[in-house]
Amino acid sequence: MEKTDDQNCQDRHEEDNPKSSPFDFVMKQFQGKKCAPEKSKEKPSAIKQFFKGFDFGKSEGKDRREIEETEINNAEADDQSEKQDLSVEDGLSHLPSEAESPSGEQRFNQFMEKLGKKPNSKNLDLNNCALSAADITELASLLPFLPELEEISLSWNGCVGGTLKALTVHLHHVNLLKVLRLNNCRLTAEDVISLGEAFEIVSQLEELDLSWNSNIGGKLSLLTKKLQEGCKLKCLKITDCSLTAKDGESLAEILNVIPNLEVLDVSINKNIGCSMKVIAQDLKNVPGLKELNLHMCGLKQDSLQGLDTALQHLAELRKLDISCNREIGGGFKTSTAHLASLKNLEVLDLHQCCITEEDMTVLSQVIPLLSSLQELNLSSNKNVGLSSDPLLGRLRFLPKLRSVTISNCGLGEESLSSLAEAALHLPELEILDLSWNKCVGGNLKLLLGALKLATEIQVLRLSSCNLVAEDLALLTSLRQDGHLARLQKLDLSYNNNISDEGWAVFCQGLGAFKELSELDVSLRPSSCRDCGLWFRELLAALTQLPALAELGMQRWALSESQRKQMEGFNQDNRRNIRFDC
């Protein structure tokens, strides 16, 4: 059906002015574009308008098809353009904006939370965190965001070994670093080199702990040769690193460039003793040294002589540990001239040094002159015997003593009496260890007066002392009379001669030790014994000991009923005692 002229005129008007869909308008608003005004078409003249309805060689249908094709092509082009615009917008929407990307602080917090640690921008404590090589790399990338970092502790992470360079190359971002701890990290020679190079960057470093890295042995010079004059290092710990005599010489050399050193720990390096003379000569360059630990360093008598000479330059020394050096025994008689000058010495450890009777004669004259002494350990010097009498009696001149450890020294009854008399003048005594001295058994009453006055005593060790029931009864009676009120640790192990009745009496009075946290009543390793009726008294006493956390009962054979009672004790009484049975 053919259209009328009016309809054709209306169709052409619509073709000349195509309508925009609502979608077109919304998309242009979304894209933020300004719609350009359409170009107004030229109005036809009256003559053209009149002849518009006539056919001058073109059919009206053909004109319409061409117009429709043009409109379709234009529409497709517009749709394609709109799709491209939408694609660009959609792509941009998925790119992380600056506000959305995690900040350095957020990344650090996420890293610490992943390892189960609380974030701390000044103290990075990642000890024993099972770090992987990837973790070390990630940590290194976070250092630029930690400008206030002062401490890094990565100890007990074996995977640190071989990856340290990834971290050290970024240490310039943390130039306030003061503490670096790398204990037991399986460090390699390459790690030692990297660490040495880092010394030029971390100029504020005050503490370096490389202990328990055996691969450092023989390579210490790779580290020490990088230390520069005026280094601020105050604490250097290289425990159990398989150091050689050559390493000892390298150590001696750096003492010239670290004048502020206060702590030097080279313990458990058995081969370093050969170079102790050289080290001792350069100790004069660190006059502010406060702690010197030479435990198990293979020292000999000549080493002791060199060390004594160095002591005259170490007036600030607070702690001296030369224990477990068996070959220095017999050398004290000629090597204590300057020991007495250490007026600030607080800790002296001479245990397991094979001290002879002649040594003790000299030490009994020197040790009482150490007026600031607080801790004295002479344990495991079996040859001391009766020669210790003069020394133990003169401990009265050391009123600041807090700890006296003389276990396994072969003391006799007279020695015990001398100690008991001296202890009357030790008001600050907190720790007394008389273990493995058989003379104590049956003679604990000799210490009765001292224990009454020892108001500060917290640790009493009487292991393997041949104690009898009367000795245990004395302890409980002291507590009932108001003494030993602060006792926290009591070791009564390896005293197999105590009868079941003796244990029962002891357990009946045990509940009075309200601050007791550790109790050991274990039997000797080679023995086994049924736990008698006193077990019931023990459980009753445990309910009255709110601070008790550990009970040693090794080699006591418990019945099935007793074992069930012990297993259910914590649950029934809402406690968390560790039973070591």
Side-chain angles (χ1 to χ4, degrees):
M1 180 177 177
E2 293 185 356
K3 294 182 181 181
T4 63
D5 291 343
D6 290 338
Q7 288 172 331
N8 288 334
C9 185
Q10 182 178 354
D11 289 343
R12 290 189 181 92
H13 179 73
E14 291 174 353
E15 291 165 5
D16 291 339
N17 299 280
K19 292 182 180 179
S20 299
S21 69
F23 178 77
D24 294 334
F25 175 79
V26 171
M27 288 306 301
K28 289 182 179 181
Q29 291 295 321
F30 175 78
Q31 297 169 8
K33 299 177 181 177
K34 290 185 179 180
C35 298
E38 286 189 355
K39 203 172 183 179
S40 60
K41 294 188 177 181
E42 182 180 301
K43 283 188 178 183
S45 64
I47 296 175
K48 290 181 179 180
Q49 187 72 26
F50 175 79
F51 288 105
K52 216 172 178 185
F54 294 88
D55 184 8
F56 289 109
K58 291 182 183 178
S59 69
E60 186 175 346
K62 185 177 180 181
D63 289 342
R64 185 170 308 226
R65 281 196 302 272
E66 290 177 355
I67 293 170
E68 288 175 352
E69 288 175 1
T70 301
E71 289 180 340
I72 290 172
N73 291 336
N74 290 339
E76 288 178 352
D78 289 341
D79 288 343
Q80 188 66 27
S81 176
E82 290 169 359
K83 286 179 181 179
Q84 290 176 353
D85 290 342
L86 284 172
S87 177
V88 171
E89 291 285 348
D90 186 60
L92 290 174
S93 68
H94 285 83
L95 290 175
S97 66
E98 186 175 347
E100 292 173 341
S101 61
S103 65
E105 182 180 357
Q106 290 173 328
R107 286 177 54 200
F108 173 66
N109 291 344
Q110 292 169 0
F111 176 75
M112 295 298 285
E113 289 171 3
K114 176 182 71 173
L115 298 173
K117 294 284 187 175
K118 291 183 179 180
N120 187 327
S121 60
K122 288 189 176 182
N123 185 353
L124 185 61
D125 182 2
L126 297 178
N127 291 332
N128 198 21
C129 282
L131 296 179
S132 64
D135 291 329
I136 300 299
T137 302
E138 184 178 358
L139 173 61
S141 70
L142 295 173
L143 291 184
F145 307 107
L146 301 171
E148 298 181 354
L149 192 63
E150 295 181 359
E151 296 188 21
I152 297 180
S153 297
L154 302 178
S155 299
W156 306 97
N157 288 289
C159 286
V160 172
T163 67
L164 197 59
K165 187 171 184 178
L167 187 69
T168 57
V169 295
H170 291 281
L171 287 182
H172 63 278
H173 294 293
V174 288
N175 53 15
L176 297 180
L177 190 67
K178 294 181 179 179
V179 178
L180 181 59
R181 300 188 183 100
L182 299 170
N183 301 354
N184 196 24
C185 287
R186 299 180 184 176
L187 299 184
T188 64
E190 291 74 17
D191 294 326
V192 176
I193 294 174
S194 300
L195 192 58
E197 294 172 348
F199 278 155
E200 301 174 0
I201 302 172
V202 286
S203 58
Q204 304 298 316
L205 195 67
E206 295 181 357
E207 179 179 338
L208 178 63
D209 193 344
L210 303 176
S211 300
W212 297 292
N213 287 288
S214 58
N215 289 330
I216 291 180
K219 307 176 187 69
L220 190 63
S221 61
L222 298 176
L223 180 70
T224 57
K225 67 183 180 181
K226 294 292 184 178
L227 287 174
Q228 299 178 348
E229 189 75 28
C231 176
K232 296 184 178 181
L233 205 61
K234 293 182 178 180
C235 177
L236 178 60
K237 296 182 179 181
I238 326 177
T239 297
D240 197 9
C241 286
S242 300
L243 298 185
T244 64
K246 187 66 176 177
D247 291 327
E249 295 175 4
S250 299
L251 180 62
E253 292 175 2
I254 66 168
L255 295 178
N256 297 315
V257 297
I258 48 177
N260 299 317
L261 193 66
E262 296 181 356
V263 177
L264 177 60
D265 187 348
V266 292
S267 57
I268 318 180
N269 287 287
K270 297 181 180 180
N271 296 321
I272 204 174
C274 299
S275 52
M276 185 50 59
K277 279 187 176 182
V278 180
I279 296 174
Q281 289 174 0
D282 286 308
L283 283 175
K284 63 180 181 293
N285 296 309
V286 286
L289 194 67
K290 291 181 171 60
E291 294 186 19
L292 179 58
N293 193 339
L294 301 173
H295 165 81
M296 201 183 295
C297 281
L299 303 185
K300 300 180 180 180
Q301 290 188 12
D302 58 346
S303 306
L304 194 59
Q305 292 174 0
L307 179 60
D308 182 63
T309 302
L311 292 181
Q312 62 182 315
H313 305 289
L314 304 178
E316 298 299 318
L317 200 63
R318 303 287 196 276
K319 178 180 179 180
L320 177 60
D321 186 347
I322 53 176
S323 60
C324 295
N325 288 287
R326 295 175 178 270
E327 294 188 49
I328 64 175
F332 288 96
K333 59 182 180 290
T334 57
S335 304
T336 56
H338 300 287
L339 179 61
S341 65
L342 301 178
K343 301 300 182 183
N344 293 308
L345 194 67
E346 297 175 353
V347 179
L348 179 61
D349 194 341
L350 302 176
H351 84 267
Q352 204 166 333
C353 285
C354 292
I355 294 176
T356 65
E357 293 186 22
E358 291 181 332
D359 290 330
M360 283 303 301
T361 300
V362 175
L363 290 173
S364 65
Q365 298 172 2
V366 173
I367 291 178
L369 299 177
L370 304 174
S371 56
S372 297
L373 199 64
Q374 298 179 15
E375 299 180 24
L376 176 62
N377 191 342
L378 296 173
S379 295
S380 298
N381 287 290
K382 296 182 179 180
N383 294 327
V384 170
L386 297 177
S387 62
S388 63
D389 290 1
L391 174 60
L392 297 182
R394 292 174 182 173
L395 293 182
R396 71 180 70 188
F397 300 115
L398 301 173
K400 294 182 180 180
L401 269 181
R402 294 189 297 106
S403 174
V404 176
T405 306
I406 47 177
S407 65
N408 195 24
C409 283
L411 302 184
E413 188 173 332
E414 293 183 6
S415 305
L416 189 61
S417 298
S418 297
L419 176 63
E421 185 178 349
L424 295 172
H425 306 277
L426 304 178
E428 298 184 21
L429 192 64
E430 296 177 1
I431 300 173
L432 178 60
D433 188 348
L434 297 174
S435 300
W436 297 88
N437 288 292
K438 308 303 182 184
C439 69
V440 177
N443 290 310
L444 195 60
K445 57 183 178 290
L446 295 176
L447 289 169
L448 180 62
L451 293 176
K452 284 183 177 181
L453 295 176
T455 57
E456 300 297 320
I457 197 159
Q458 299 174 22
V459 179
L460 181 60
R461 301 195 184 280
L462 301 171
S463 175
S464 192
C465 283
N466 278 353
L467 298 183
V468 295
E470 290 76 11
D471 296 321
L472 296 192
L474 176 68
L475 291 176
T476 54
S477 65
L478 279 170
R479 182 65 201 99
Q480 290 168 357
D481 290 341
H483 308 295
L484 303 179
R486 298 191 61 189
L487 193 65
Q488 298 176 13
K489 299 180 181 181
L490 179 59
D491 186 355
L492 301 174
S493 62
Y494 300 179
N495 286 289
N496 290 23
N497 294 334
I498 301 173
S499 62
D500 285 351
E501 292 76 12
W503 285 117
V505 172
F506 172 73
C507 289
Q508 289 170 5
L510 181 60
F513 293 89
K514 299 300 182 183
E515 295 194 19
L516 197 65
S517 60
E518 293 182 20
L519 174 64
D520 195 345
V521 296
S522 299
L523 297 174
R524 292 179 181 276
S526 59
S527 61
C528 182
R529 186 168 148 193
D530 290 336
C531 193
L533 296 176
W534 62 271
F535 180 78
R536 182 172 54 192
E537 303 288 350
L538 175 63
L539 288 184
L542 295 184
T543 62
Q544 304 174 53
L545 300 175
L548 193 71
E550 185 170 345
L551 174 61
M553 290 189 64
Q554 293 184 20
R555 288 167 291 279
W556 282 103
L558 302 179
S559 66
E560 186 65 24
S561 174
Q562 290 172 335
R563 188 168 295 278
K564 287 183 179 180
Q565 291 180 62
M566 180 171 286
E567 291 174 352
F569 179 85
N570 282 332
Q571 184 175 357
D572 295 342
N573 295 276
R574 297 182 179 180
R575 297 289 298 277
N576 190 27
I577 299 176
R578 177 178 176 270
F579 295 103
D580 185 9
C581 300

